[in-house]
């Protein structure tokens, strides 16, 4: 007869194995979600009567093709399209590089240039909202654990600088009623269906795995 303590031990080992496998497969997604939550908390400081803030927006640009945007802020001063990266380490990159380099513990890792990635998001909004690219403002946000060694014209800032950065734009570009209309349209276009979101994530992860590689 198997001793009860042995059964409990095996159950614990099996649970531990499943936990490790889960974390291994979902760690990057979990870290990314943490960064987006930090940004979400930071953006809650904005005046809601002047800034329409939307998080985790997924829109369809054409049948079967979607674009997922971390954060969108609609205001009379422009539409801010925000891409977040939650890395802890050195970040190297230039405006038009295809990939940037992330360095941690003497290991180098390449990832898609977030500026180019965000340009795709802005083009998606341009396509579905029929608004000029000129009214959209690209902002790339990194966590404080990152040390930025980059050369860019596009704003690449830390999370704690985000609110002041958004508020620094004072030139009116969109009328009040139009900004309200655009915010409502984005909410209507936002895909909330869980199945479609999972399909998008799976495709995005597959694309990233093909483009990511250890730097030499």
């Amino acid at each position: 007869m198997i001793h009860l303590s042995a059964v409990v031990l095996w159950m614990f080992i099996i649970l531990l194995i499943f936990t490790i496998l889960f974390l291994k497969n979902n760690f990057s997604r979990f870290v990314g979600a943490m960064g987006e939550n930090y940004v979400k908390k930071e953006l809650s400081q904005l005046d809601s009567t002047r800034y329409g803030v939307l998080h985790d927006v997924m829109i369809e640009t054409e049948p079967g093709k979607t674009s997922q945007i971390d954060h969108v802020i609609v205001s009379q001063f422009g539409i801010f399209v925000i891409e977040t990266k939650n890395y802890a380490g050195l970040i190297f990159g230039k405006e038009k590089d295809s990939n940037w380099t992330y360095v941690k513990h003497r290991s180098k890792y390449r990832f898609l240039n977030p500026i180019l990635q965000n340009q795709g998001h802005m083009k998606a909004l341009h396509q579905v909202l029929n608004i000029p690219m000129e009214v959209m403002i690209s902002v790339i946000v990194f966590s404080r654990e990152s040390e930025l060694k980059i050369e860019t014209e596009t704003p690449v800032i830390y999370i704690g600088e985000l609110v002041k950065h958004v508020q620094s734009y004072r030139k009116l570009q969109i009328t009040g009623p139009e900004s309200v209309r655009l915010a409502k349209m984005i909410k209507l276009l936002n895909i909330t269906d869980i199945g479609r979101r999972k399909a998008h994530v799976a495709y995005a992860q597959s694309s990233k795995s093909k483009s990511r590689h250890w730097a030499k």
Side-chain angles (χ1 to χ4, degrees):
M1 182 176 181
I2 300 175
H3 197 277
L4 179 61
S5 60
V7 174
V8 172
L9 177 61
W10 276 110
M11 289 179 64
F12 174 77
I13 292 173
I14 293 171
L15 179 62
L16 181 61
I17 291 172
F18 275 107
T19 302
I20 292 172
L21 290 174
F22 176 81
L23 291 174
K24 181 179 178 181
N25 294 328
N26 295 276
F27 182 73
S28 60
R29 193 182 306 173
F30 174 73
V31 171
M34 284 178 60
E36 291 177 26
N37 284 332
Y38 291 148
V39 173
K40 186 176 181 178
K41 183 177 180 180
E42 190 73 14
L43 293 178
S44 67
Q45 300 177 46
L46 290 171
D47 183 351
S48 61
T49 64
R50 307 183 75 180
Y51 300 93
V53 183
L54 302 100
H55 308 286
D56 190 19
V57 175
M58 181 182 289
I59 54 176
E60 184 176 58
T61 54
E62 56 187 74
K65 187 174 181 180
T66 53
S67 180
Q68 189 167 17
I69 310 168
D70 292 338
H71 312 274
V72 180
I73 303 173
V74 183
S75 74
Q76 290 182 262
F77 312 108
I79 297 176
F80 298 84
V81 184
I82 302 170
E83 173 69 21
T84 65
K85 297 296 179 186
N86 192 26
Y87 293 130
L90 291 170
I91 307 295
F92 295 92
K94 295 182 180 180
E95 182 85 17
K96 296 182 180 180
D97 289 346
S98 297
N99 295 285
W100 283 11
T101 303
Y102 162 50
V103 182
K104 186 177 182 181
H105 303 317
R106 297 183 180 181
S107 294
K108 295 182 180 180
Y109 198 70
R110 289 192 182 130
F111 61 99
L112 293 174
N113 180 344
I115 293 175
L116 300 182
Q117 188 178 358
N118 216 31
Q119 285 177 1
H121 297 157
M122 291 191 294
K123 288 178 181 177
L125 287 174
H126 162 74
Q127 184 176 340
V128 299
L129 297 178
N130 194 28
I131 54 174
M133 292 289 290
E134 291 74 21
V135 304
M136 286 186 280
I137 303 160
S138 177
V139 185
I140 312 301
V141 181
F142 279 83
S143 67
R144 274 293 177 187
E145 287 69 34
S146 302
E147 185 176 348
L148 302 176
K149 303 288 185 179
I150 56 176
E151 299 176 25
T152 68
E153 294 180 5
T154 300
V156 180
I157 61 178
Y158 293 107
I159 292 176
E161 303 170 330
L162 182 55
V163 170
K164 285 187 177 180
H165 180 77
V166 170
Q167 293 173 334
S168 70
Y169 288 80
R170 308 305 301 166
K171 182 181 178 181
L172 295 176
Q173 300 198 67
I174 306 172
T175 65
E178 179 66 2
S179 66
V180 172
R181 185 188 73 82
L182 289 173
K184 288 181 178 179
M185 184 176 292
I186 294 173
K187 288 181 181 179
L188 287 173
L189 292 171
N190 184 30
I191 297 171
T192 58
D193 180 75
I194 296 176
R196 295 189 66 184
R197 280 182 166 263
K198 284 185 176 180
H200 174 90
V201 170
Y203 177 79
Q205 291 295 327
S206 174
S207 299
K208 287 179 181 179
S209 65
K210 292 177 182 177
S211 63
R212 287 178 177 175
H213 52 282
W214 290 102
K216 297 179 180 178

